Amino acid sequence: MAITAPSRAPQGAGSLESERSPFARLTELLAPYQPAKPLIALSLGEPQHPVPSFVGPVLAKHTADFGRYPIAKGIEPFRRAAANWLSTRFELPRGIDPESEILVLNGSREGLFFAALTAARYVGGRRGKPAILMPNPFYPAYGAGARAADCEAVYLPTTLANGFLPDLDALDDATLARAVAIYIASPANPQGAVASREYFSRLKKLADRFGFMILSDECYSEIYTQTAPGSMLECAGPDFTNVIAFQSLSKRSNLPGMRVGFAAGDKKFLGVFHELRNVAAPQVPVPLQHVAIAAYSDEAHVEENRRLYRIKFDLADQILGSRYGYRRPAGGFCVWLDVSARGGDEAATIKLYKDGGVRVVPGSYLARQQPDGSNPGAGYIRLALVQDSETTAEALHRLVEILD
């Protein structure tokens, strides 16, 4: 069935509740209960692996740079390092121009948010109410960006049936003609699905035909256990027209608190993006950009990071087996489990916390209700395998013991 204009969350109190932070909602859900065992938090996707050893020395060397305002576009050495990394890591149509095709970000979240505002301003007139398309479930910054841009959020259900990616065949021309942008995440959060080159190419053709922007969230691209995920930029053509990729060091380099990332791609869009960010967005301290230069110049710590995640997914393979529809994800560090036969996602979340001290997130909190009343995240729970391997194994054993 085609996804048409009404594909948005119903208005009213239920909609307002669903737009709140999933973690605030989780805290309220669990507030009446006390865990029977020591708490193991698998709810927040906050990497717990060691911070790279070069961070301290680089910060010490550049401490004096905290004494000046950073330029919004990022220092030239950072932009060059990010461009070099992209060109080395991915099979791009050509090298990225660090002068016009890279912008530093204060973490990818603010970039993803401000990109929606930019797209609404940058893209020409639409046929009807401007819309921003996004996967469902999705990262909350996407929805916040659509609301701030005064665009209709069109939620594209990502389910097991469509490989946990938006079904491009289900998009009708009327909806695409109203789109100013589509958010795509590969690897997907929360399911870990990875888009193929063919998928990216099909999406690019739609963007060029209808004139909307592709905002490709690739912050999990370096977390995988087998095949390295590709980038939307690989299928963006020689000028990267209508495509912006977002990257972050939070997952790749275990630096969630540093708040450094970048946007790369279509230089015309980035020019308008830079104008907005130059007056409205947080700047990135210069010492942190120097740490990022070191991070993008080193792959050893990234491979070690992947090795640690491989160990934990090996444990998940052994402990979970095929329970709860578990399958090892192609990318990312999350596990997406079907607990619909265990009372549903909220009930399972409460039971795991109360009886086992394991804190997870109900899948319905990460998604929005579709027009037919369904919620693509309902019946699932998300686990982020961010703890050390021993703690992860303990949490998974507790989960099986309690839910089985």
Side-chain angles (χ1 to χ4, degrees):
M1 178 180 292
I3 295 173
T4 57
S7 296
R8 61 186 184 275
Q11 299 302 306
S15 176
L16 292 175
E17 172 65 14
S18 71
E19 290 178 355
R20 298 177 61 230
S21 162
F23 303 108
R25 296 178 65 193
L26 175 63
T27 297
E28 292 176 2
L29 176 72
L30 299 180
Y33 309 100
Q34 291 296 321
K37 295 183 178 181
L39 181 65
I40 300 177
L42 302 181
S43 51
L44 187 62
E46 181 182 55
Q48 299 295 303
H49 295 168
V51 170
S53 60
F54 54 74
V55 172
V58 172
L59 280 177
K61 182 178 178 180
H62 295 278
T63 300
D65 287 328
F66 280 116
R68 59 191 179 97
Y69 289 119
I71 60 173
K73 70 185 299 184
I75 60 175
E76 192 276 337
F78 168 83
R79 287 181 280 114
R80 187 173 65 250
N84 288 341
W85 176 77
L86 277 175
S87 297
T88 301
R89 168 65 175 83
F90 300 106
E91 296 179 5
L92 303 183
R94 61 166 173 80
I96 292 282
D97 178 8
E99 184 59 31
S100 62
E101 295 174 335
I102 291 275
L103 287 179
V104 72
L105 299 175
N106 196 285
S108 60
R109 179 168 67 174
E110 63 93 351
L112 290 162
F113 172 82
F114 280 106
L117 279 67
T118 305
R121 172 184 174 189
Y122 174 81
V123 173
R126 301 286 88 182
R127 300 176 190 171
K129 172 71 173 177
I132 294 181
L133 286 53
M134 62 194 72
N136 192 24
F138 61 96
Y139 185 45
Y142 308 166
R147 291 195 300 277
D150 193 28
C151 291
E152 178 184 328
V154 177
Y155 303 125
L156 313 178
T158 56
T159 64
L160 178 62
N162 55 30
F164 295 119
L165 291 170
D167 183 358
L168 301 183
D169 291 329
L171 295 171
D172 65 45
D173 286 3
T175 300
L176 291 167
R178 294 194 298 109
V180 300
I182 181 172
Y183 285 105
I184 185 73
S186 177
N189 177 12
Q191 309 99 329
V194 169
S196 66
R197 181 178 287 268
E198 178 188 11
Y199 186 96
F200 280 143
S201 296
R202 292 179 61 206
L203 183 56
K204 164 67 171 170
K205 289 178 181 177
L206 290 174
D208 290 347
R209 177 184 169 195
F210 291 95
F212 59 80
M213 294 300 303
I214 300 170
L215 307 177
S216 185
D217 183 353
E218 301 175 8
C219 72
Y220 285 95
S221 71
E222 304 314 288
I223 308 300
Y224 56 89
T225 60
Q226 294 178 349
T227 304
S231 169
M232 186 69 228
L233 292 172
E234 294 177 312
C235 302
D239 294 323
F240 308 109
T241 305
N242 295 329
V243 173
I244 301 294
F246 296 82
Q247 279 283 349
S248 168
L249 290 174
S250 296
K251 276 68 177 180
R252 176 187 181 272
S253 298
N254 302 313
L255 293 170
M258 198 173 83
R259 312 313 305 143
V260 178
F262 65 81
D266 187 326
K267 67 180 179 182
K268 292 182 179 179
F269 180 89
L270 288 178
V272 180
F273 193 33
H274 177 233
E275 288 178 359
L276 174 62
R277 296 191 69 264
N278 202 26
V279 296
Q283 298 153 298
V284 181
V286 172
L288 302 189
Q289 294 187 56
H290 281 289
V291 173
I293 292 168
Y296 283 121
S297 302
D298 177 73
E299 290 296 323
H301 76 285
V302 186
E303 177 51 42
E304 172 62 12
N305 199 25
R306 282 194 290 268
R307 186 187 70 83
L308 295 175
Y309 283 119
R310 279 196 295 270
I311 291 171
K312 288 183 282 189
F313 276 109
D314 287 345
L315 289 168
D317 291 349
Q318 297 165 16
I319 297 169
L320 296 178
S322 60
R323 293 179 176 89
Y324 329 118
Y326 168 75
R327 60 174 63 187
R328 189 175 184 134
F333 52 51
C334 293
V335 169
W336 190 237
L337 300 181
D338 183 351
V339 292
S340 54
R342 273 75 177 176
D345 53 336
E346 285 189 326
T349 296
I350 292 171
K351 187 171 181 62
L352 286 171
Y353 178 77
K354 180 169 64 76
D355 297 345
V358 179
R359 187 181 175 103
V360 301
V361 182
S364 60
Y365 289 13
L366 302 172
R368 301 293 182 267
Q369 193 176 53
Q370 297 289 150
D372 63 1
S374 66
N375 182 314
Y380 288 88
I381 54 173
R382 190 193 78 173
L383 289 62
L385 302 190
V386 293
Q387 303 291 345
D388 62 69
S389 58
E390 182 178 346
T391 304
T392 297
E394 172 63 22
L396 293 174
H397 280 301
R398 291 185 196 177
L399 182 148
V400 170
E401 179 183 352
I402 289 166
L403 294 185
D404 265 12

